[in-house]
Amino acid sequence: MGSCSGRCTLLALCTLQLVTALERQVFDFLGYQWAPILANFIHIIAVILGLFGTLQYRPRYIVVYAVWAAVWVTWNVFIICFYLEVGGPLQGDELLTFNLSRHRSWWEEHGPGCLHKEAATVGLGAMHGQSLVVDAGCTMAYSYMEALHSGLQILLALLGFVYGCYVVSVLTEEEDSFDFIGGFDPFPLYHVNEKPSSLLSKQAYL
């Protein structure tokens, strides 16, 4: 059942989404980004439902995956706007960390090419022993790294939404056609043999 090309493409997209979501979850854990961690967890569950529904021909699970894909696109657009400060600098930097951490991203201190300097120990109190990042040494700013990750997630989610809707339509159409020809008739033999048995009873009476 189902178009092999559409199902295979959706399976590949779900697998790729699962891998990239796990990779992103690791870096969000390292950066103490609790809101993205929660969103990634829900996303992983939805992708697993999409995989299961595609493998087991369950359109309802694929519908759940497709609906979440639209929500996931919206979330990642927000993440891009947050890190790129679209519309001006945002005041709530603790929004993604639930005010439990001062980190904005793991890439802020561990981005490609970033250099570290030991912080001055005079007058810093709690900052003693920590390191500061020299932003000029980074090959790419952490905000762009986060935006690239979100952009990839948006692309995969859009493709998953399109192919999810396509596979659901194909599976639903095939189920309807199969039901139309009597594929789900629980007593097909009974209806076929009903008339001959009645004729035999009449002949025996005569």
Side-chain angles (χ1 to χ4, degrees), residues 21-45 68 72 75-76 78-79 83 95-98 100-101 103-106 146:
L22 290 173
E23 176 263 343
R24 189 177 186 182
Q25 185 77 311
V26 170
F27 290 116
D28 285 338
F29 263 116
L30 294 174
Y32 306 104
Q33 305 297 298
W34 302 114
I37 287 171
L38 179 61
N40 291 334
F41 180 74
I42 300 175
H43 178 60
I44 290 171
I45 294 177
W68 172 255
W72 189 241
W75 167 257
N76 282 277
F78 164 74
I79 293 295
Y83 279 106
L95 182 63
L96 300 183
T97 62
F98 296 149
L100 299 176
S101 172
H103 293 80
R104 295 198 66 185
S105 172
W106 182 82
E146 294 288 353

Side-chain angles (χ1 to χ4, degrees), residues 103-120 127 130-142:
H103 293 80
R104 295 198 66 185
S105 172
W106 182 82
W107 299 103
E108 186 176 7
E109 297 182 2
H110 303 86
C114 289
L115 303 176
H116 297 265
K117 283 185 178 181
E118 292 298 326
M127 291 290 294
Q130 295 185 359
S131 60
L132 296 178
V133 178
V134 181
D135 292 334
C138 296
T139 305
M140 181 180 294
Y142 73 92

